[in-house]
């Protein structure tokens, strides 16, 4: 099978005049409310005005998407001047944008240090999902994942994570006119966020948490916690923290029904095995007051896709409010696996459905621009490291 349908691809090179500066004034983007409050205090905003000033500024930045202090017309002129003299409002730079035949948009985003990550916007009927990255590369080495062949360069900052949401809203033209509300113009174009891009979000916990707190804030971008899904390969100690400190929906890259197979597909399993992972997941819905956990399961021909696997999976899910998302394997150059046949995937899904589990088969999106799950990898990352080298670096 081929993952590349013949389809028109457009690519604009977007030039943004100001490059993401590595030095200079502190960036207000990505600060939590508490951090922004401290920043305002430090430039002399009197205590008694702090709350009001913070609310006004927050609304300009996150509700109306304004990045020029001078345009924040309901702020006193001298306060605007103080802000401009002390702070910047800056997003990462969009290097290029590719649009798939199916409407999926992939942004190549440059962050400080010249590193690059990818962000993908997936339009759907009545909604749109933004898939954001949390790290440059990934320290983990899941054997079916393209990102896993790229060594980790660094964690993204909270500003760079929130920045991906803001640059997508810029591109979609989705900020309300200053002075107006968000709501009445019908469904939002960017209505959901999945932390399923490059990187393991729970290995960058604090920055991911702070960024999501900014995105969820009701007086700004205001995406509710049930509109955000964090996907983890199974960093067990951070799962309880995700429930208590973020409270978003959880997806887990499960992918196998025995430790022997999962050790190979998702090597973090050697540290926290299936039993340890399931134990942490049992506690999640109650702790986060959220709905079902999504079990992601990539369908790999002859590796994890038998009827026996499906039945074993049903057994493992017992007692956990769950749905299973079956992901047809997205191929990438040099990938060591093949996608299971459609018949096999359907047979697997049937067993799960008969046991009472919703098990949608994920439709690959944006394959023609290498934007589908697991295909992301920095375009400039030419160096392919050997598995052994990556594993040695990751201490696995
Ligand atoms: N690091 C996190 C989130 C990013 S990956 C995690 O592993 O959960 C998002 C999802 O895509 C994961 O379920 C991942 O296992 C899956 N994935 C990775 N490579 C894939 C591929 N080539 N085809 C299909 N799904 C893939
Ligand atoms: Fe990292 Fe997730 Fe890819 Fe595994 S599947 S290598 S954890 S990005």
């Amino acid at each position: 099978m081929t993952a590349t349908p013949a389809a028109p691809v457009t690519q604009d090179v977007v030039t943004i005049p100001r490059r993401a500066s590595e030095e200079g004034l502190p960036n207000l983007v990505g600060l939590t409310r508490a951090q922004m409050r401290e920043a305002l205090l430090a430039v002399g905003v009197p205590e008694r005005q702090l709350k009001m000033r913070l609310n006004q500024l927050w609304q300009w930045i996150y509700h109306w998407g304004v990045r020029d202090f001078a345009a924040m017309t309901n702020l006193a002129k001298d306060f605007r001047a103080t802000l401009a003299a002390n702070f910047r409002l800056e997003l990462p730079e969009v290097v290029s944008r590719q649009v798939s035949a199916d409407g999926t948009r992939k942004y190549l985003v440059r962050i400080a240090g010249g590193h690059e990550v990818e962000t993908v916007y997936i339009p759907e009927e009545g909604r749109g999902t933004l898939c954001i990255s949390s790290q440059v590369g990934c320290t983990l080495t899941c054997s079916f994942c393209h990102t896993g062949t790229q060594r980790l360069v660094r964690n993204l900052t909270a500003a760079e994570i929130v920045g991906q949401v803001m640059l997508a809203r810029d591109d979609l033209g989705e900020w309300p006119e200053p002075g107006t509300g968000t709501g009445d113009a019908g469904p939002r174009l960017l209505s959901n966020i999945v932390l399923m891009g490059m990187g393991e979000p729970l290995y960058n916990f604090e920055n991911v948490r702070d960024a999501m707190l900014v995105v969820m804030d009701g007086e700004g971008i205001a995406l509710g916690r049930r509109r955000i899904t964090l996907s983890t390969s199974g960093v067990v100690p951070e799962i309880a923290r995700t429930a208590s400190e973020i409270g978003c929906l959880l997806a887990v890259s499960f992918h196998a029904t025995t430790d022997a197979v999962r050790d190979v597909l998702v090597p973090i399993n050697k540290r926290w095995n299936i039993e340890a992972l399931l134990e942490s997941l049992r506690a999640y819905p109650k702790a986060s007051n959220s709905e079902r956990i999504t079990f992601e399961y990539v369908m790999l021909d002859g590796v994890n896709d038998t009827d026996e696997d499906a039945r074993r999976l049903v057994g493992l899910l017992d007692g956990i409010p769950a749905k299973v998302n079956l992901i047809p394997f997205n191929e990438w150059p040099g990938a060591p696996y093949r996608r299971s046949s459609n018949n096999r995937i359907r047979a697997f899904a049937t067993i799960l459905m008969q046991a009472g589990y919703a098990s949608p088969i994920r439709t690959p999106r944006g394959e023609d621009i290498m934007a589908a799950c697991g295909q992301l990898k920095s375009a400039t990352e030419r160096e392919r490291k050997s598995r052994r080298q990556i594993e040695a670096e990751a201490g696995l």
Side-chain angles (χ1 to χ4, degrees):
M1 75 111 253
T2 166
T4 315
V9 174
T10 63
Q11 176 158 357
D12 334 328
V13 175
V14 182
T15 314
I16 290 184
R18 225 153 49 116
R19 293 175 59 89
S21 36
E22 286 158 50
E23 287 167 27
L25 299 175
N27 193 0
L28 289 181
V29 171
L31 299 190
T32 60
R33 270 182 185 267
Q35 291 164 339
M36 204 183 288
R37 189 179 184 281
E38 287 306 308
L40 293 183
L41 201 56
V43 297
V45 176
E47 280 272 4
R48 62 191 151 73
Q49 290 181 10
L50 259 182
K51 196 169 173 211
M52 183 188 70
R53 295 289 197 218
L54 177 61
N55 283 342
Q56 289 173 321
L57 187 57
W58 190 272
Q59 193 171 41
W60 281 109
I61 302 172
Y62 293 116
H63 189 76
W64 294 317
V66 170
R67 251 150 263 152
D68 176 5
F69 293 116
M72 302 183 174
T73 44
N74 68 349
L75 304 184
K77 272 223 166 91
D78 59 340
F79 182 46
R80 283 187 248 167
T82 305
L83 289 172
N86 289 285
F87 302 113
R88 65 196 162 102
L89 288 169
E90 200 163 75
L91 306 190
E93 180 186 2
V94 178
V95 180
S96 70
R97 182 187 73 159
Q98 287 173 283
V99 183
S100 159
D102 69 13
T104 300
R105 300 178 185 205
K106 182 167 85 172
Y107 306 97
L108 179 64
V109 176
R110 185 173 301 146
I111 58 171
H115 308 301
E116 288 167 352
V117 292
E118 293 179 334
T119 306
V120 179
Y121 173 72
I122 306 146
E124 291 159 292
E125 193 67 40
R127 58 185 252 161
T129 301
L130 192 71
C131 178
I132 61 182
S133 293
S134 55
Q135 299 183 309
V136 185
C138 188
T139 48
L140 299 171
T141 52
C142 303
S143 50
F144 55 90
C145 174
H146 203 206
T147 309
T149 64
Q150 178 179 339
R151 77 186 140 152
L152 176 84
V153 184
R154 70 167 169 84
N155 282 336
L156 298 195
T157 62
E160 290 158 350
I161 299 170
V162 175
Q164 294 173 65
V165 180
M166 297 173 79
L167 66 86
R169 293 199 87 188
D170 284 358
D171 187 47
L172 296 166
E174 205 180 24
W175 298 104
E177 274 297 305
T180 68
T182 315
D184 314 322
R188 290 216 208 172
L189 294 172
L190 199 172
S191 61
N192 293 71
I193 289 178
V194 292
L195 280 146
M196 294 188 185
M198 295 163 69
E200 167 50 60
L202 295 189
Y203 273 163
N204 185 14
F205 186 85
E206 280 82 11
N207 291 341
V208 165
R209 176 200 57 204
D210 289 351
M212 292 306 104
L213 293 179
V214 170
V215 165
M216 292 189 289
D217 190 290
E219 283 164 48
I221 296 168
L223 287 174
R225 62 192 189 86
R226 288 194 167 82
R227 292 187 173 273
I228 298 172
T229 304
L230 182 150
S231 175
T232 179
S233 57
V235 185
V236 164
E238 307 293 352
I239 288 178
R241 282 183 83 192
T242 306
S244 61
E245 296 180 36
I246 310 177
C248 59
L249 301 183
L250 188 71
V252 59
S253 293
F254 209 64
H255 304 322
T257 60
T258 64
D259 281 323
V261 176
R262 197 162 189 273
D263 280 351
V264 175
L265 297 182
V266 190
I268 201 177
N269 196 68
K270 292 184 213 156
R271 203 166 293 168
W272 295 288
N273 66 12
I274 290 179
E275 197 186 316
L277 177 58
L278 290 173
E279 195 183 310
S280 73
L281 296 178
R282 273 189 204 100
Y284 191 86
K286 193 156 170 257
S288 65
N289 188 26
S290 74
E291 297 151 28
R292 293 172 296 180
I293 292 172
T294 301
F295 283 71
E296 297 163 283
Y297 199 97
V298 64
M299 297 299 290
L300 302 172
D301 185 31
V303 175
N304 63 356
D305 63 351
T306 62
D307 286 354
E308 200 188 342
D309 279 304
R311 284 191 284 269
R312 237 188 331 254
L313 183 55
V314 168
L316 293 171
L317 296 181
D318 193 35
I320 302 178
K323 75 171 190 181
V324 181
N325 206 181
L326 297 174
I327 316 176
F329 175 56
N330 295 310
E331 298 190 357
W332 38 271
Y337 301 105
R338 292 197 355 231
R339 180 184 289 186
S340 307
S341 72
N342 289 344
N343 282 345
R344 182 87 300 272
I345 299 176
R346 275 194 292 267
F348 197 96
T350 303
I351 294 174
L352 295 172
M353 282 186 293
Q354 282 168 351
Y357 293 101
S359 43
I361 299 166
R362 192 181 290 176
T363 317
R365 298 290 303 266
E367 281 183 302
D368 52 341
I369 55 169
M370 287 281 287
C373 289
Q375 291 185 322
L376 303 184
K377 180 169 165 168
S378 166
T380 53
E381 168 78 22
R382 305 261 179 247
E383 187 188 13
R384 277 283 295 284
K385 299 200 143 198
S386 72
R387 293 263 160 222
R388 207 170 302 137
Q389 212 174 342
I390 298 168
E391 284 183 10
E393 282 177 8
L396 291 166

